[in-house]
Amino acid sequence: MREAPTAAYARTVRAEAKPSLAERRKEALRFEIAAEAVRLFAAHGVTGTTGEQIAGAVGISSRTLWRHFPTKESCVLPLLSAGLDFAVAQLRHWPADMGLLDFITRSLRAGELPDVAPVILDLIRMTTTDPALRAVWLQAHDEALPVLAQLLAERSDGSADDLRTRVHAATLNGALRAASEDFAHRYAEEPQAAGSEIATCILVALRAASEGLPY
């Protein structure tokens, strides 16, 4: 089976975990399913695409597809979670003596942000018009929220369940989502834009988040 185009991106995100061969194969398959699902959704629409068509495009049985994903829309979850997984992996290296905005600025300027696959940008754009895909996009961010809260809690020796920590985690989460959506739409209008330009969107979003609510 050929390797999904975004599997390498996933390995970058999870490099420190050193998954087993079986886990890597499973991950590669999930990303290939996701990529084919996006391609079919873009060509035929979500309602015009079936799980059987996605399975056929990948070269697997429908039964195998449903073992990995409960619905056809959820097939795209690995692609939508990849950027968040990368952000979390980067935050685990956040120095104790450095502020969040300074750390992210340094990381982005150092070129630590991987190129964003066009298929992911296509998918993010689709989440703004299709309710079912929007739900999966929000699910990806909802699943990242407790992880971000735990990271922030460890920084402050507090609790991830503390309301203040949860609000900060939600703010960071929302900034990352808004930046991703903004870049995805700008990239559609300016195909020549370099993938690294998402760094600008992230910094603008985080600076806005750091302002609090100045109203």
Side-chain angles (χ1 to χ4, degrees):
M1 182 178 294
R2 60 187 174 84
E3 185 179 25
T6 49
Y9 182 88
R11 284 198 300 274
T12 299
V13 171
R14 301 180 176 87
E16 295 181 0
K18 295 182 180 179
S20 66
L21 177 60
E23 290 172 332
R24 293 198 301 272
R25 286 175 173 170
K26 178 180 179 180
E27 180 180 66
L29 175 58
R30 284 172 59 84
F31 271 82
E32 184 169 8
I33 291 171
E36 289 297 339
V38 174
R39 183 182 66 80
L40 290 169
F41 290 164
H44 308 294
V46 177
T47 57
T49 300
T50 66
E52 288 71 21
Q53 289 173 324
I54 297 172
V58 179
I60 59 176
S61 67
S62 298
R63 183 176 179 180
T64 298
L65 177 75
W66 301 131
R67 280 206 305 266
H68 288 275
F69 300 101
T71 66
K72 64 181 180 182
E73 293 86 0
S74 66
C75 289
V76 303
L77 184 59
L79 289 176
L80 293 177
S81 298
L84 289 165
D85 289 343
F86 178 82
V88 168
Q90 290 296 299
L91 287 172
R92 295 192 189 282
H93 300 287
W94 178 10
D97 60 348
M98 183 176 290
L100 175 60
L101 193 55
D102 289 339
F103 169 64
I104 292 180
T105 300
R106 187 190 70 176
S107 298
L108 294 176
R109 287 177 177 172
E112 295 178 6
L113 189 69
D115 290 335
V116 182
V119 65
I120 296 179
L121 300 178
D122 291 341
L123 175 57
I124 291 175
R125 286 193 294 273
M126 280 191 276
T127 66
T128 63
T129 58
D130 187 277
L133 292 182
R134 186 68 178 178
V136 179
W137 179 223
L138 295 178
Q139 176 190 347
H141 281 270
D142 189 60
E143 291 176 354
L145 191 56
V147 180
L148 292 172
Q150 184 60 44
L151 283 170
L152 296 180
E154 291 171 359
R155 297 279 303 186
S156 61
D157 293 325
S159 169
D161 295 325
D162 180 76
L163 178 59
R164 189 167 181 267
T165 302
R166 287 160 50 204
V167 169
H168 289 164
T171 301
L172 174 57
N173 199 357
L176 293 173
R177 179 169 59 83
S180 299
E181 292 174 356
D182 183 74
F183 178 72
H185 285 285
R186 288 203 300 110
Y187 186 89
E189 298 170 359
E190 303 173 25
Q192 73 279 8
S196 60
E197 290 185 17
I198 191 175
T200 300
C201 295
I202 292 174
L203 290 176
V204 170
L206 289 176
R207 289 191 184 107
S210 67
E211 295 171 0
L213 296 173
Y215 302 104

